[in-house]
Amino acid sequence: MTSTDYDVTIIGAGPSGTVAACLLMQHGLSVCLVERDQFPRFSIGESLLPQSMEFLSKANMLDTLLDNADTLGFQFKNGAAFYRSGHHTNFNFEEKFSDGPGTTYQVKRAEFDHLLAQEAIKQGAQILFGQQVTNFKSGKNASYLSVVDLKTKQESTISAKFTLDGSGFGRVLPRLLGLEETSELTPRKAVFTHFKDNIENSQFDRNKILITVHPTMPDVWYWAIPFSDSTISVGVVGETAQITRADQTLEQTLLDFINADDNLSALLTDAQIIAPVRTIGGYSANVKALHGDKFALLGNAGEFLDPVFSSGVTIALKSAVQASDLVVKQLQGEAVDWQVQYEEPLREGIEVFKYFVNSWYDTSLQSVIFFADGQPDVKAMVCSILAGYAWDKSNPFVKNTERGLKILEQICESGNNDSVA
């Protein structure tokens, strides 16, 4: 085979890229990650799901997370709390149906991503920060990245036997190769920031993400993600027209939405904004294919759904585990069918999450979440998906998500206690 600079190049040094790098290096492969930004840098996606811990463990990165969580203000997380117009309900991830970890962390992504990048370097990866990929091409025996140094403007070419795109919302290869497709999800927008929360309510469970439904617009919701240093990430999500306030600053818009909900406004009575108020819109995305000649797309570079169930990092890490395994096999000379062995199984779990997202916004899943307490077995199955186990086909709500949720919705609406399992 033609000599290359590296066995594998990875675009982006976020969670999917660094986990893939560490998995590949376990097999003696040389890996170079090309990252546009300098770390630490801001990113959204702060509430991890327990399934992610299994993937971090595979990459020998879990210990570094556990060792540094307290120092970096990461918050232990064991579930999700929901609130809607006076009605509270909780899902304890340790009571889920699926096997696997039941706890995780809520993380500040600047520090979390930096931590994983440092660990990847310790394990042997090279990371080129401040480098932008401007072109990609594949030859008979290699893939080639054209790269420009954003500081010196110097251009270079890096060759590898295979390339993974973990560029997240940058979506480098989909943009360069014309792979982007419009998402079938409704375009939405988020407005968010960090507060010093000053929450003294003893009933507030910092070990859970709090998801709140707007009191009059059921397809608008808020996240509240506490950290262990008494700070909290708060955002509101809705369709662009619902969230946009042309006559207001982003800060005024966010505060107005918070004040519209009785529970959230009470919790944040003494809170103080400590970071810029930001907005992101049009984040849902899809692609024509998750793979091509000598490349594959990881995580958000392929498909991003919606922040409502915090599935982004879990999908990213799942894709890193699957793709790295296939890259190893292919570079060892095995025949690999990327469609059958990567895209189709990865999309199965994505479709489960997608159905949950759509059902949340049409409020049918909200009915299940707020009225499933009388169905402990079924609640455990739903809890597994909320915990990230969207690929566990032993779960009836994974195997047939649409049918299961429709039956459960009918049970919750009627108050019937029959089991659907």
Side-chain angles (χ1 to χ4, degrees):
M1 180 175 281
T2 300
S3 175
T4 56
D5 297 317
Y6 299 92
D7 291 316
V8 182
T9 48
I10 301 176
I11 305 171
S16 67
T18 52
V19 165
C22 289
L23 290 167
L24 291 165
M25 290 186 296
Q26 290 175 10
H27 296 272
L29 299 179
S30 61
V31 181
C32 178
L33 298 96
V34 181
E35 170 58 51
R36 179 189 60 191
D37 296 326
Q38 299 288 345
F39 279 22
R41 55 93 175 93
F42 177 83
S43 182
I44 62 170
E46 299 156 318
S47 193
L48 304 182
L49 301 183
Q51 171 81 92
S52 297
M53 307 297 274
E54 185 177 307
F55 303 141
L56 291 172
S57 179
K58 287 178 181 292
N60 294 327
M61 303 179 92
L62 183 57
D63 284 347
T64 194
L65 170 59
L66 299 178
D67 291 344
N68 290 277
D70 290 342
T71 302
L72 296 177
F74 299 167
Q75 174 66 51
F76 175 82
K77 175 185 176 183
N78 63 10
F82 295 85
Y83 178 83
R84 183 177 70 177
S85 300
H87 192 160
H88 297 264
T89 191
N90 291 332
F91 283 77
N92 184 344
F93 291 157
E94 293 178 287
E95 297 174 355
K96 60 182 171 49
F97 170 85
S98 302
D99 293 333
T103 63
T104 185
Y105 285 90
Q106 297 175 153
V107 299
K108 298 183 179 184
R109 281 293 302 277
E111 288 80 4
F112 177 71
D113 290 12
H114 192 203
L115 182 69
L116 297 190
Q118 290 175 316
E119 178 60 26
I121 292 171
K122 287 179 184 177
Q123 292 191 28
Q126 181 169 0
I127 302 183
L128 305 177
F129 291 101
Q131 310 285 321
Q132 184 165 348
V133 174
T134 58
N135 195 25
F136 169 87
K137 65 177 182 178
S138 57
K140 182 178 181 181
N141 296 311
S143 62
Y144 302 90
L145 294 180
S146 298
V147 177
V148 60
D149 186 302
L150 294 178
K151 186 175 183 179
T152 66
K153 306 304 179 184
Q154 182 176 348
E155 298 179 357
S156 60
T157 300
I158 304 173
S159 64
K161 299 170 187 174
F162 201 92
T163 295
L164 295 171
D165 184 356
S167 60
F169 292 115
R171 302 173 62 75
V172 171
L173 290 189
R175 177 172 45 81
L176 291 175
L177 301 178
L179 298 175
E180 292 183 298
E181 283 192 334
T182 302
S183 173
E184 58 194 65
L185 297 176
T186 301
R188 290 186 169 85
K189 178 179 178 179
V191 180
F192 53 94
T193 192
H194 284 189
F195 292 81
K196 183 70 175 179
D197 60 63
N198 297 311
I199 296 174
E200 297 183 356
N201 186 337
S202 61
Q203 301 301 309
F204 180 62
D205 188 351
R206 301 191 74 90
N207 294 338
K208 292 177 174 64
I209 183 176
L210 172 62
I211 297 175
T212 301
V213 180
H214 190 278
T216 61
M217 294 182 285
D219 58 340
V220 173
W221 63 278
Y222 313 77
W223 76 71
I225 302 172
F227 303 113
S228 65
D229 59 359
S230 299
T231 62
I232 192 168
S233 172
V234 180
V236 60
V237 179
E239 293 185 25
T240 303
Q242 294 171 307
I243 300 297
T244 301
R245 301 285 189 272
D247 58 340
Q248 290 185 330
T249 64
L250 289 175
E251 179 175 327
Q252 290 171 326
T253 297
L254 179 59
L255 292 177
D256 277 358
F257 271 101
I258 290 172
N259 289 331
D261 180 74
D262 58 342
N263 183 60
L264 201 55
S265 60
L267 285 173
L268 299 175
T269 296
D270 298 319
Q272 299 175 325
I273 293 176
I274 58 172
V277 180
R278 304 170 185 262
T279 185
I280 183 173
Y283 42 73
S284 298
N286 200 0
V287 290
K288 298 173 183 176
L290 294 176
H291 60 93
D293 185 20
K294 297 180 184 62
F295 77 86
L297 309 180
L298 305 178
N300 296 351
E303 181 167 8
F304 181 74
L305 299 176
D306 189 274
V308 65
F309 297 120
S310 306
S311 61
V313 173
T314 298
I315 293 172
L317 299 191
K318 174 70 173 180
S319 69
V321 171
Q322 287 191 209
S324 58
D325 180 57
L326 294 177
V327 170
V328 170
K329 290 179 179 178
Q330 182 163 316
L331 297 190
Q332 290 176 343
E334 293 186 37
V336 172
D337 186 329
W338 281 88
Q339 180 65 26
V340 172
Q341 295 173 261
Y342 179 66
E343 176 149 355
E344 291 176 6
L346 182 63
R347 285 196 184 275
E348 286 178 353
I350 293 173
E351 288 301 313
V352 173
F353 281 127
K354 185 184 295 183
Y355 195 86
F356 265 53
V357 168
N358 285 324
S359 298
W360 170 265
Y361 284 111
D362 70 22
T363 74
S364 59
L365 183 58
Q366 293 182 30
S367 298
V368 170
I369 284 173
F370 285 101
F371 299 104
D373 286 339
Q375 296 284 326
D377 292 342
V378 169
K379 186 173 182 178
M381 297 174 190
V382 173
C383 186
S384 283
I385 298 172
L386 297 180
Y389 294 89
W391 292 269
D392 177 13
K393 292 185 179 180
S394 69
N395 184 344
F397 290 97
V398 171
K399 189 174 182 180
N400 196 328
T401 310
E402 181 176 0
R403 177 181 178 274
L405 281 182
K406 284 184 176 178
I407 293 174
L408 184 53
E409 181 187 0
Q410 293 171 0
I411 291 173
C412 291
E413 289 178 348
S414 67
N416 190 333
N417 287 324
D418 294 337
S419 172
V420 305

